[in-house]
Amino acid sequence: MFRSLLAAAMMSAILITSAHALPMSDGSELQCVVTRAGQNGIAKENWVQYDSIQNRDPELGKAVAVVRTDATGWPVIYIDAVAHRRGRQSNAGLWDFVFLHECAHAQDMKLTEIEANCSAYVEMERRGLMNPIRFKDIEAAHLQILNLPAEYGGNGVEFWRRTMECVQAKAGAEKSAGREAAPR
């Protein structure tokens, strides 16, 4: 059953693989720069297109984006192109956050989900992409999630709380080191 589902999904899903830049909400474009085994490069992106949810790439699972490695160990960011197209206009900041979260994983595959969220948040602040409206949109998206695996905190409320705890700790570390963190 799973094999036939996998085969059907792979045959009907169109994967666009490239190392192109993701359009960010501020009009800039971003590539996910990574280092593996002393080599610098850009994480590959697979923009998953499908005509029905049954034909969605199984690599995505229930997520809108994930990181996997290819046969050479290079990170590949899978992005649900259909969900991106639907949600980009109404919540572009959330998509910035999603991409930066997955890029953090691509850069360091050992990061926990909380650490990748934290990294995405801090990077959005650093780039000037975080503002009160985007904060509330991203927070709301997290708070709506009822059930998550333990590595996310079990639910969206706890996932977001732990993310903010990490962000505050990083801001405190920056301040202690004499560097001022970006304002929230």
Side-chain angles (χ1 to χ4, degrees):
M1 166 90 175
F2 179 74
R3 253 190 211 149
S4 61
L5 178 62
L6 178 63
M10 292 183 85
M11 289 190 323
S12 59
I14 302 168
L15 294 179
I16 304 168
T17 304
S18 69
H20 72 282
L22 182 89
M24 303 299 283
S25 62
D26 66 354
S28 67
E29 293 186 340
L30 180 65
Q31 293 181 317
C32 182
V33 178
V34 297
T35 301
R36 287 282 186 283
Q39 289 185 311
N40 294 324
I42 307 298
K44 296 175 189 172
E45 295 173 17
N46 275 349
W47 286 78
V48 180
Q49 303 281 350
Y50 51 92
D51 56 2
S52 70
I53 198 71
Q54 295 83 1
N55 295 333
R56 192 168 179 259
D57 191 305
E59 286 293 345
L60 283 168
K62 294 180 181 180
V64 294
V66 295
V67 173
R68 304 287 185 245
T69 54
D70 66 13
T72 67
W74 199 255
V76 179
I77 301 173
Y78 285 76
I79 303 168
D80 183 328
V82 176
H84 181 266
R85 196 169 37 255
R86 276 194 322 256
R88 183 81 184 150
Q89 296 303 312
S90 62
N91 201 341
L94 180 61
W95 280 96
D96 292 349
F97 188 85
V98 166
F99 183 77
L100 291 168
H101 173 105
E102 297 308 334
C103 183
H105 279 306
Q107 292 168 337
D108 183 352
M109 298 294 276
K110 294 177 186 170
L111 288 182
T112 67
E113 294 302 325
I114 307 297
E115 291 166 334
N117 246 20
C118 183
S119 178
Y121 187 98
V122 169
E123 186 63 15
M124 280 187 73
E125 281 190 332
R126 189 186 75 72
R127 292 175 173 276
L129 296 170
M130 188 60 74
N131 63 39
I133 293 169
R134 287 194 178 140
F135 173 88
K136 286 298 185 189
D137 287 344
I138 295 166
E139 178 183 54
H142 282 80
L143 299 180
Q144 291 176 29
I145 306 168
L146 299 178
N147 293 306
L148 286 171
E151 64 265 25
Y152 294 84
N155 60 62
V157 171
E158 186 64 11
F159 189 22
W160 189 246
R161 187 195 68 73
R162 290 182 185 181
T163 298
M164 292 294 89
E165 191 174 80
C166 175
V167 168
Q168 293 301 322
K170 282 192 175 203
E174 290 283 312
K175 194 170 185 175
S176 294
R179 295 183 302 271
E180 195 60 38
R184 276 180 205 66

